[in-house]
Amino acid sequence: HVQLVESGGGSVQPGGSLRLSCVVSGNTYTKYSMAWFRQAPGNEREGVASVDTYGLTHYIDSVKGRFTISLDNAKNTLFLQMNSLLPEDTAMYYCAADSRWWLGLQTKSYTHWGQGTQVTVS
């Protein structure tokens, strides 16, 4: 049974930074896609950043150069370092995981999801 638990959200001023963490347990993936998604009120959930078994990363254009996704395999933890935060980054952030390594930012394809952590920039 795969479980994902996010932490690290909070309230920051524009230009500030946050580091989100997602601890993954119960997975036996030999290959994987892992990603961060976000959803603001009234908006659809969108992919923010992803990483796969081979270290390939994807980012949506609006966060390129500001956000960095990384994975600590020894700690089974996925991170999202968010710098130069903007009010439009305000959303609930979710991590997701799947054994299909090619998923990238395909929101509706991921099998396992965390409960989310709120990020507010104002």
Side-chain angles (χ1 to χ4, degrees):
H1 178 60
V2 179
Q3 290 187 309
L4 291 79
V5 179
E6 303 98 331
S7 62
S11 296
V12 295
Q13 294 182 342
S17 298
L18 284 173
R19 189 191 196 201
L20 305 184
S21 301
C22 174
V23 178
V24 185
S25 61
N27 59 308
T28 57
Y29 301 155
T30 54
K31 296 183 179 180
Y32 56 81
S33 294
M34 298 192 71
W36 288 97
F37 294 82
R38 66 186 180 187
Q39 187 168 18
N43 292 353
E44 292 189 353
R45 191 171 297 188
E46 65 173 355
V48 176
S50 68
V51 61
D52 67 26
T53 306
Y54 304 101
L56 184 64
T57 57
H58 297 279
Y59 297 91
I60 54 170
D61 287 345
S62 61
V63 307
K64 287 180 179 178
R66 301 189 297 122
F67 290 12
T68 302
I69 189 170
S70 61
L71 179 64
D72 185 332
N73 284 305
K75 297 181 179 180
N76 283 342
T77 303
L78 181 71
F79 298 100
L80 185 68
Q81 178 66 45
M82 305 186 295
N83 299 326
S84 302
L85 283 160
L86 304 170
E88 48 264 46
D89 295 318
T90 295
M92 185 71 79
Y93 283 70
Y94 300 89
C95 67
D98 198 283
S99 60
R100 294 169 289 176
W101 62 267
W102 59 88
L103 294 185
L105 297 177
Q106 297 179 51
T107 306
K108 297 182 179 180
S109 296
Y110 280 79
T111 302
H112 303 290
W113 293 84
Q115 293 301 306
T117 185
Q118 178 68 38
V119 172
T120 303
V121 185
S122 65

